[in-house]
Amino acid sequence: MTSIPFTADWILRAPRGPFAAVQGGVDDSLIVALPHDALRDAERLPDALAKGGAAYYPTGAFSHVKTFEVPTEWSGRIVRLEVQGAFRHAMVYLNDELAGNRADGFARFFVDLTPFLRFGETNTLRIETRAGQDSRWYAGAGLHRPVLLHVDEPTHIEPDGVRITTIRIEDDQAVLEVATTIVNRGLTRSARVLATELAGPDGSMVEGERTPVTVAPGGTALVRQRLYVPDAALWSVDSPALYSARTSLEVDDRPADDAAVVHTVHGIRTVTVDPRKGLSINGEPVLLRGACIHSDNGPLGAASIARAEERRVQLLKDAGFNAIRAAHNPASPAMLDACDRIGMLVMDEAFDMWGRGKTDNDYSLDFAQWWRADLESMVAKDMNHPSVIMYSIGNEIVEVGTPHGAIQARELAEHVRALDPTRLVTNGVNATLAVLDDLDDIMASDQGLNELMGEAGANMMSLIGSSDAVTMRTEESSAALDVLGLNYADGRYASDAERFPHRVIVGSETFPTQIGDLWPLVEANPNVIGDFTWTGWDYLGEVGIGATSYAEDPEANGALEREFPYLTAWCGDFDITGWRRPVSYYREIVFGLRSEPAIAVLRPERHGQTITMQSPWAWSDSVDSWTWPGFEGAPVTVEVAADADEVALLLDGVEVARGPVGGRRPKLAEFETVYRPGTLEAVAFRSGAEVGRTALVSATGQTRLVATADRSTLRADDTDLAFIAIELRDAAGVLVTGADREVSVSVTGAGRLAGFGTGTPKTTERFDATTRTTFDGRALAIVRPSGAGAITVTVSGAGLDDVVLDLEAAGR
């Protein structure tokens, strides 16, 4: 199969008027490289129709146009377009003829261009997309994932036609099945030899098989080959060993040319669940330390560029996560590739709704027509990725508490199992939504529940989820699953083990503030296989659900969704630039992965103010810094996370506070003290013995500008990026917080500034700007190669010395 990257030199036409998209857009255009978010640079407006759910971005309709030459030698071949994601309602036109369409904005789909090609001529491809009030968070618009062109001989291996399955693992070998689908689009019978060669993690050949196959004209053949891999290296989170299969079609014993070869990556591993033994990978027990993530990449908008996906996965793993939940749409191929290489388990999720909608123009309008095809697309994409261990058929589906919803759940689950019987099936059930239509009656009839609710507002959903009404309403739809996903219903963990002894549970969505209580429940209940926090990474839209609201703010209204110009949800362990927030270190300690305590300081300018809203998604309004210019002598609150029973707080070696761990939250101590520049040190004790210490140091003297690239050599293609961390630091390298200022970035040479942002949840500054205001002393610039050659990045700020970075884009 000849696969041609089709990501360069697209023209973006932003239409004007209601019919402009249908007519192909207007002439004022911009040349872009895919993946590309067509909506990111639109003006955000306080009165945008989708409001804060979509980060105050407007609706939009866009045209991506590409011209390309079709050589005469392609005549007689099969030419297909692979679109990995087009948000949303994509219409594909070739030479102004409708060639294909897809409703879902995250489904990977193929379009046969063959009937519409003009051989020996210039052809014009146009993909129209429309977005607006169709998502509960920011999903962007346009061709946000790559596009490829496939050119095949009439007899060829079907796209997604090689599926490798681990049949069994023995002491001295692993047995694999390679199932290959071969299609003959020609007019005569076709005889070939299917050759499969398997290379091990070190690249050496370890096994292979050759099978003759004859395919009738217009027919399809499925060829199954067994491979016996000696002393197989197994794929796991800690050791992500990958094998590579080269599958080809040979004619008359001649080696196949590249057009007839398919390369497939595979990891040898098994996945099982058991209500008494939990989850096992290769027979070894695993607890899922999970992060829910949305699909956007912060300053890049919704664009799924491979290097951005890889960086995100690596940072999440470095922080202690071993699993991600793609919420609430299928993960990109690039992200799954990264999870395979790095060693990250994946729950891939299909839908955020079924037949009952959540926004005005969402997928519920398309569900009945498209759900089967979209599940098939997700499974075909995921089949060979060892990182994917579980498919989720939905998130917080309103109808799962109804008989019709139970029927639908079983249909979806069985369709997935028919496509892939090797993986687990789950569904993220929000029990409160499942009984929302009867909630008033449930509350009126259950006095005990009413009394509990009055005492525990933050646990409202868990209490409702544990009620008998929910148990009865969701029993049938839950029985269709291998693993029941529970959103905010941890009250069921222990009770379900008694009432449903064969049920396996995963905390598919949980409050970040409650991990100190939830993780011990996961460890104590073998029927519960893990926890997925909302969220591992901050995201655009659902603005301010994790922000702290103060009575002293003039705009304070006590609402969960915040007012313009809020931009992000502000509920992630990482901010949108990839910087760890204090909750991340707390979680790492709760997981038992960090022995040193972690210090954070509540913003001193807010000390003594009245908090009017701090949702269960909101961590404290704190920063891991002891640099607060202008607040010398002012009172401050210090939080110390520690796996200990007591913490002492020292300032320049003198103890200023001491107290127990585990007051308001497990493994967290809180102190009141006075800010004075110096070294603030936390010393953790267990049973009187020191078990760890850490320190924060105040920045002093002149502030300097520091810029650091994550690497200096890039691939000269559309998959790569350089991430430039821009920081304000003192001469000793200490971060300067509390004194933010504007910084500017310019890029010359074989690259361009692809995005520029900070972690701030509230701003009117744009991601396409060249000047930004730092947030807590930091900003992030993202550089994308535009070809091979040298790239020069210059970072400047008023009163600061410029920083110049030299990068190189080379090869592909």
Side-chain angles (χ1 to χ4, degrees):
M1 176 184 294
T2 300
S3 296
I4 303 170
F6 229 46
T7 55
D9 299 326
W10 286 79
I11 295 174
L12 174 67
R13 291 176 176 164
R16 296 172 182 162
F19 303 108
V22 178
Q23 296 166 353
V26 292
D27 289 337
D28 53 326
S29 55
L30 175 70
I31 297 177
V32 299
L34 306 183
H36 175 257
D37 180 0
L39 190 60
R40 185 202 67 170
D41 298 335
E43 183 181 358
R44 298 169 60 227
L45 302 168
D47 58 352
L49 288 176
K51 295 294 183 182
Y56 297 100
Y57 276 90
T59 60
F62 302 92
S63 243
H64 281 87
V65 180
K66 181 176 178 63
T67 58
F68 63 105
E69 301 300 318
V70 177
T72 55
E73 55 265 31
W74 284 8
S75 179
R77 298 183 185 179
I78 312 304
V79 181
R80 272 173 289 217
L81 192 72
E82 176 187 343
V83 181
Q84 294 189 355
F87 200 89
R88 189 171 173 270
H89 283 290
M91 304 287 285
V92 180
Y93 297 89
L94 182 60
N95 299 321
D96 288 326
E97 300 288 348
L98 178 63
N101 70 306
R102 195 66 169 228
D104 186 26
F106 298 94
R108 174 171 161 263
F109 64 99
F110 294 84
V111 178
D112 189 351
L113 302 181
T114 313
F116 311 102
L117 290 171
R118 297 172 182 168
F119 299 99
E121 298 182 27
T122 300
N123 286 241
T124 301
L125 179 67
R126 187 176 81 250
I127 303 179
E128 309 285 3
T129 53
R130 297 153 183 78
Q133 292 184 285
D134 46 18
S135 174
R136 295 186 296 118
W137 55 90
Y138 178 82
L143 304 181
H144 61 102
R145 292 179 179 174
V147 172
L148 293 87
L149 197 67
H150 299 290
V151 183
D152 294 304
E153 296 295 334
T155 300
H156 59 273
I157 297 171
E158 189 76 350
D160 296 325
V162 178
R163 296 191 172 194
I164 306 177
T165 305
T166 301
I167 301 299
R168 63 182 183 271
I169 297 173
E170 301 171 350
D171 291 340
D172 59 346
Q173 68 175 0
V175 182
L176 309 182
E177 180 182 83
V178 182
T180 304
T181 301
I182 302 165
V183 174
N184 180 5
R185 294 271 294 268
L187 300 178
T188 60
R189 185 180 62 197
S190 180
R192 298 287 189 272
V193 173
L194 179 68
T196 299
E197 299 175 331
L198 187 71
D202 62 357
S204 62
M205 301 305 300
V206 297
E207 183 45 328
E209 179 69 290
R210 293 168 57 82
T211 306
V213 55
T214 302
V215 190
T220 299
L222 177 63
V223 179
R224 299 182 187 273
Q225 298 171 315
R226 286 290 174 99
L227 302 182
Y228 300 86
V229 183
D231 301 317
L234 304 186
W235 187 96
S236 67
V237 169
D238 296 326
S239 181
L242 293 173
Y243 287 75
S244 177
R246 181 184 187 274
T247 307
S248 62
L249 290 175
E250 299 177 357
V251 182
D252 298 330
D253 293 328
R254 296 194 307 270
D257 59 25
D258 290 341
V261 176
V262 174
H263 296 275
T264 308
V265 173
H266 177 69
I268 300 173
R269 59 107 182 95
T270 60
V271 179
T272 60
V273 289
D274 185 300
R276 299 177 183 89
K277 298 179 181 179
L279 172 71
S280 292
I281 308 292
N282 304 323
E284 298 293 327
V286 174
L287 289 178
L288 300 176
R289 304 188 301 269
C292 296
I293 59 171
H294 269 320
S295 62
D296 74 80
N297 273 301
L300 295 171
S304 177
I305 300 172
R307 173 55 190 153
E309 304 284 52
E310 179 183 57
R311 174 179 179 262
R312 181 157 49 152
V313 172
Q314 186 65 66
L315 289 174
L316 287 166
K317 187 172 184 180
D318 291 345
F321 291 107
N322 66 2
I324 61 171
R325 176 189 180 209
H328 306 290
N329 46 256
S332 69
M335 173 157 282
L336 297 185
D337 288 343
C339 290
D340 291 345
R341 292 191 304 269
I342 293 168
M344 180 73 79
L345 303 172
V346 178
M347 177 197 297
D348 209 6
E349 193 155 79
F351 310 119
D352 185 45
M353 71 288 297
W354 295 345
R356 295 191 185 182
K358 297 178 180 179
T359 55
D360 289 351
N361 300 312
D362 64 22
Y363 183 78
S364 64
L365 303 176
D366 307 300
F367 176 78
Q369 177 184 355
W370 284 101
W371 70 263
R372 289 182 181 274
D374 288 341
L375 285 179
E376 291 161 9
S377 170
M378 180 177 73
V379 171
K381 169 180 64 70
D382 294 2
M383 188 71 189
N384 293 311
H385 288 284
S387 56
V388 180
I389 63 167
M390 201 177 320
Y391 298 120
S392 171
I393 57 175
N395 168 69
E396 299 188 344
I397 304 301
V398 180
E399 57 262 49
V400 294
T402 68
H404 170 74
I407 293 170
Q408 187 71 71
R410 184 165 281 107
E411 279 194 276
L412 269 69
E414 291 306 324
H415 191 52
V416 170
R417 291 188 182 105
L419 296 166
D420 181 1
T422 70
R423 289 180 171 89
L424 308 171
V425 179
T426 188
N427 189 11
V429 175
N430 186 315
T432 302
L433 288 182
V435 297
L436 196 60
D437 52 348
D438 285 342
L439 191 56
D440 290 341
D441 291 340
I442 292 170
M443 297 299 295
S445 62
D446 193 332
Q447 184 58 36
L449 181 60
N450 269 287
E451 292 174 358
L452 287 171
M453 291 279 288
E455 299 173 4
N459 294 319
M460 176 189 71
M461 284 192 280
S462 183
L463 291 168
I464 294 172
S466 301
S467 67
D468 289 339
V470 166
T471 300
M472 292 184 291
R473 287 274 296 268
T474 61
E475 182 175 2
E476 183 178 358
S477 62
S478 300
L481 309 170
D482 301 311
V483 178
L484 172 60
L486 290 178
N487 290 12
Y488 313 109
D490 49 278
R492 302 197 68 95
Y493 290 0
S495 62
D496 273 20
E498 298 179 6
R499 187 160 185 171
F500 304 101
H502 296 151
R503 178 177 286 178
V504 179
I505 292 171
V506 65
S508 45
E509 192 167 315
T510 64
F511 292 121
T513 50
Q514 296 182 348
I515 189 61
D517 295 307
L518 295 177
W519 193 247
L521 291 178
V522 174
E523 294 179 310
N525 291 279
N527 61 315
V528 182
I529 63 173
D531 176 279
F532 286 82
T533 187
W534 193 265
T535 56
W537 198 280
D538 199 19
Y539 58 97
L540 308 178
E542 291 188 312
V543 298
I545 66 168
T548 301
S549 180
Y550 298 91
E552 289 76 7
D553 292 337
E555 71 277 10
N557 57 16
L560 179 61
E561 183 180 287
R562 303 302 299 275
E563 65 290 330
F564 182 84
Y566 262 87
L567 174 68
T568 76
W570 197 234
C571 62
D573 279 28
F574 286 78
D575 69 23
I576 61 169
T577 69
W579 188 259
R580 292 179 71 175
R581 299 176 62 207
V583 62
S584 175
Y585 298 101
Y586 174 78
R587 185 183 310 280
E588 192 178 13
I589 289 168
V590 169
F591 283 157
L593 302 176
R594 177 187 173 98
S595 58
E596 298 83 6
I599 308 173
V601 181
L602 272 64
R603 298 181 186 275
E605 66 268 27
R606 295 295 194 176
H607 194 275
Q609 294 188 6
T610 303
I611 295 176
T612 58
M613 169 63 75
Q614 196 168 54
S615 77
W617 291 284
W619 193 249
S620 62
D621 193 7
S622 58
V623 184
D624 51 351
S625 172
W626 192 240
T627 300
W628 302 102
F631 290 93
E632 293 78 6
V636 292
T637 303
V638 178
E639 297 176 336
V640 179
D643 185 10
D645 50 39
E646 186 180 40
V647 168
L649 204 61
L650 283 64
L651 184 57
D652 291 335
V654 178
E655 185 172 309
V656 294
R658 180 183 287 260
V661 176
R664 185 166 58 93
R665 291 194 178 108
K667 300 187 185 300
L668 191 70
E670 297 173 288
F671 303 99
E672 291 294 321
T673 186
V674 172
Y675 173 67
R676 178 167 55 82
T679 299
L680 183 70
E681 192 169 21
V683 184
F685 299 92
R686 188 182 303 118
S687 301
E690 181 179 330
V691 293
R693 64 172 60 207
T694 193
L696 296 177
V697 179
S698 302
T700 58
Q702 293 294 314
T703 297
R704 61 192 181 97
L705 193 58
V706 176
T708 307
D710 61 341
R711 56 222 169 92
S712 58
T713 302
L714 311 176
R715 294 183 306 276
D717 61 34
D718 295 322
T719 68
D720 212 355
L721 300 164
F723 289 85
I724 314 295
I726 299 169
E727 298 170 319
L728 305 175
R729 293 191 177 270
D730 70 4
V734 178
L735 187 71
V736 180
T737 55
D740 288 311
R741 64 186 72 190
E742 286 188 344
V743 293
S744 298
V745 175
S746 67
V747 180
T748 58
R752 63 179 182 82
L753 186 62
F756 190 17
T758 70
T760 180
K762 181 181 180 180
T763 183
T764 58
E765 294 181 317
R766 298 167 57 96
F767 293 129
D768 61 343
T770 57
T771 298
R772 292 291 303 246
T773 304
T774 59
F775 176 68
D776 290 335
R778 300 183 185 90
L780 181 74
I782 306 172
V783 174
R784 191 174 189 181
S786 56
I791 304 171
T792 301
V793 181
T794 303
V795 184
S796 58
L800 303 173
D801 291 339
D802 291 356
V803 180
V804 179
L805 300 177
D806 293 318
L807 312 178
E808 183 74 23
R812 282 187 178 269

